[in-house]
Amino acid sequence: MKPTLTPLRQKIWDLLCQHPQPLTAYQLVDLYEQTWRKPIHAMSVYRCLDYFIAQHRVQKIHSLNSYMLMPSPTLATSDTAQTWPQQTSLSDPHLLICDHCHQVIATELSAALLQQLQQTLESSFQLQLSGIELRGLCHPCRVARELQQQEEQP
């Protein structure tokens, strides 16, 4: 059964598709009100986001308290929301998050690494991986920081 979108969900989906960077629910509220000139309660946005998360179309970035589309070439435009293809994987991608510019890069960790992590924790902790968030600096921000440090040296 293919998911159907209410008009409100479609509008929130369109906003997410138009803004590929991570957005908070309150940023979506502001964008909604600017775009459609109608007020919306934050709780309505959260319900839409929860629906998209349950459909594995949106991922919450816990460390930024924001949301982004799950990376998929078939979901790149808002036109595809009404005809979502079957999802091939229900696991969340692992995210590399830049502490400076907040760019988010989805990546896959090796199965061996994930299995080793699960085995390490198995005896004392039941692991339920839904994605790992790794924080650091993206390449452009790292280069800019290195240049700034070089300029500051006498």
Side-chain angles (χ1 to χ4, degrees):
M1 180 172 121
K2 293 191 183 219
T4 58
L5 296 182
T6 63
L8 176 59
R9 287 177 183 162
Q10 183 66 53
K11 288 177 180 177
I12 297 300
W13 179 259
D14 290 345
L15 290 173
L16 288 165
C17 290
Q18 293 165 14
H19 298 86
Q21 75 278 14
L23 297 169
T24 68
Y26 286 95
Q27 287 173 319
L28 284 166
V29 166
D30 291 342
L31 288 169
Y32 182 95
E33 291 176 351
Q34 291 169 10
T35 304
W36 285 283
R37 306 271 187 243
K38 291 168 54 174
I40 186 172
H41 292 285
M43 213 47 230
S44 296
V45 172
Y46 279 113
R47 281 194 284 276
C48 291
L49 292 168
D50 287 342
Y51 173 82
F52 295 136
I53 290 168
Q55 297 293 321
H56 301 280
R57 306 303 176 183
V58 167
Q59 181 171 2
K60 181 172 184 178
I61 304 170
H62 295 279
S63 61
L64 298 177
N65 196 28
S66 60
Y67 302 83
M68 67 178 270
L69 293 177
M70 293 286 266
S72 171
T74 60
L75 296 175
T77 66
S78 62
D79 298 336
T80 60
Q82 293 288 358
T83 57
W84 283 334
Q86 288 294 95
Q87 192 75 352
T88 56
S89 170
L90 296 183
S91 64
D92 291 344
H94 308 294
L95 304 176
L96 306 175
I97 302 168
C98 180
D99 286 328
H100 185 260
C101 71
H102 298 266
Q103 175 187 5
V104 177
I105 301 169
T107 187
E108 293 204 16
L109 300 178
S110 73
L113 176 62
L114 294 174
Q115 185 177 14
Q116 182 181 12
L117 180 59
Q118 186 151 8
Q119 287 173 350
T120 302
L121 297 173
E122 200 168 79
S123 61
S124 61
F125 190 80
Q126 182 178 2
L127 186 63
Q128 296 178 354
L129 279 178
S130 65
I132 296 173
E133 297 178 16
L134 302 171
R135 311 259 331 226
L137 290 175
C138 66
H139 182 70
C141 290
R142 191 176 74 234
V143 169
R145 178 174 281 176
E146 289 170 359
L147 288 173
Q148 181 182 12
Q149 288 173 346
Q150 288 175 358
E151 291 172 359
E152 291 173 356
Q153 292 177 355

